[in-house]
Amino acid sequence: MLMKALLLVLCYQQVMGECPRIPSIYQSRHDKTPGDNGYKIQINDNPAKYVPGQLYTLLLMGPTVLGRVQQFQRFIVNVESTEHPENISPQNVGSFQLYGDNHTTFNEECVNTISEKNANLKTETYFMWAAPPPGSGCVTFRAMVLENAERWFADDGRLSKTFCEQTDKDIKFDENDCCACEEAKYSMIFEGLWSKQTHPKDFPFSLWLTHFSDIIGASHERNFTFWGVDQIASEGFRSLAEWGSVRMMEIELRAKAKYLRTIIKATGIMVP
């Protein structure tokens, strides 16, 4: 009976300890290559700090070299307490959630760790992270990326990212800021300057192809934003930019309804 109890304790300590971010001997027999080679962990919308309990989308992606994104085969990503690296318990560092893609799965050997589902070449992988409860402090995401049997990178540079908790002291309010306490009305004018003269390259040759997409937007709280310069675009923005469709953008906005005041929509404009 004592022997069984001892074995249980040893197994539990192994699971709760730090998860090694190294490839198996069957994947690579080479030492880690220093640096990050341009690989990085990116948090969608690039927030400065996390709000306890909120869900975030993260991205592990490769660098762009000569117009092409570097591909990789395998990866490991885990999250740990910055102050106590041995602590990777979901109750203290949050928990991962997966998108319905074919790239990512939960790591069977480590707590709160994700890795590749297969060795197919990939340029990026998305996953979600639910932030821990208040008082959890800072967490650090760390990743290992294996390009091939000869080259792999881990923890260095942007393959480690520290994300700290937002507290009441981080929320600043300036009484001189302009805000509407009850109801406000705004007038918005859209002026389309896109024409064959201003943008002659690849301008549509058919008039029926020449139009602006529908307009989508929202009025919202001061501390909320759904886009930003140098940030990774959401799937809604991607759909709007590539296909001119606002449907997914509206879905994303409505999912953030608690931060919004009004959804703004308007029909697209035909140039002629």
Side-chain angles (χ1 to χ4, degrees):
M1 191 69 179
L2 179 60
M3 188 64 176
K4 289 182 179 180
L6 181 59
L7 287 174
L8 286 173
V9 170
L10 290 174
C11 291
Y12 179 77
Q13 287 179 340
Q14 181 179 5
V15 170
M16 294 303 293
E18 182 180 356
C19 182
R21 290 172 293 277
I22 58 175
S24 71
I25 58 173
Y26 305 105
Q27 298 166 1
S28 176
R29 295 178 180 272
H30 291 259
D31 293 334
K32 181 181 81 169
T33 305
D36 59 22
N37 198 36
Y39 293 102
K40 63 180 178 180
I41 301 171
Q42 179 83 32
I43 303 175
N44 196 32
D45 295 334
N46 198 27
K49 296 188 176 183
Y50 72 80
V51 177
Q54 188 162 314
L55 192 65
Y56 294 88
T57 299
L58 286 84
L59 172 70
L60 175 64
M61 64 183 300
T64 301
V65 180
L66 298 177
R68 298 182 61 184
V69 181
Q70 177 66 49
Q71 295 179 316
F72 55 95
Q73 293 182 339
R74 300 183 182 275
F75 64 90
I76 295 174
V77 179
N78 58 20
V79 59
E80 60 194 28
S81 168
T82 305
E83 290 79 16
H84 305 284
E86 74 283 354
N87 189 349
I88 55 175
S89 167
Q91 289 79 12
N92 296 284
V93 298
S95 58
F96 288 122
Q97 298 181 26
L98 304 182
Y99 278 104
D101 59 20
N102 296 320
H103 294 328
T104 310
T105 186
F106 290 107
N107 190 297
E108 296 180 355
E109 299 179 359
C110 300
V111 174
N112 210 23
T113 300
I114 57 176
S115 54
E116 79 287 338
K117 188 177 290 186
N118 53 56
N120 296 343
L121 290 175
K122 49 192 75 70
T123 59
E124 60 187 26
T125 184
Y126 288 89
F127 51 94
M128 293 179 286
W129 174 73
S136 299
C138 298
V139 300
T140 300
F141 298 94
R142 302 190 192 278
M144 182 281 293
V145 174
L146 182 140
E147 282 186 2
N148 49 55
E150 287 76 36
R151 285 163 58 86
W152 61 277
F153 309 85
D155 299 352
D156 295 343
R158 290 180 293 177
L159 286 174
S160 290
K161 187 173 184 63
T162 297
F163 201 21
C164 293
E165 178 184 351
Q166 176 180 288
T167 63
D168 292 339
K169 292 186 293 185
D170 298 315
I171 303 175
K172 298 179 180 179
F173 177 76
D174 188 345
E175 60 182 9
N176 296 319
D177 285 350
C178 177
C179 66
C181 297
E182 296 180 357
E183 181 178 331
K185 293 183 179 180
Y186 298 88
S187 176
M188 184 177 71
I189 299 174
F190 173 80
E191 182 180 5
L193 302 178
W194 179 53
S195 69
K196 196 170 186 178
Q197 288 70 38
T198 59
H199 298 79
K201 184 178 180 180
D202 296 331
F203 194 83
F205 59 88
S206 299
L207 290 179
W208 64 272
L209 290 174
T210 313
H211 66 280
F212 294 97
S213 71
D214 292 346
I215 294 173
I216 185 74
S219 59
H220 53 82
E221 294 180 358
R222 69 173 66 244
N223 294 321
F224 173 77
T225 180
F226 53 91
W227 72 277
V229 178
D230 295 329
Q231 295 179 9
I232 294 179
S234 66
E235 286 301 310
F237 262 105
R238 181 175 177 176
S239 178
L240 176 59
E242 294 182 1
W243 304 104
S245 171
V246 301
R247 183 182 63 84
M248 190 174 294
M249 186 77 241
E250 183 177 353
I251 292 174
E252 290 180 353
L253 287 172
R254 293 190 180 279
K256 304 286 188 178
K258 64 180 179 179
Y259 303 110
L260 305 184
R261 297 289 184 261
T262 305
I263 296 285
I264 302 166
K265 296 173 65 178
T267 305
I269 304 170
M270 300 299 293
V271 171

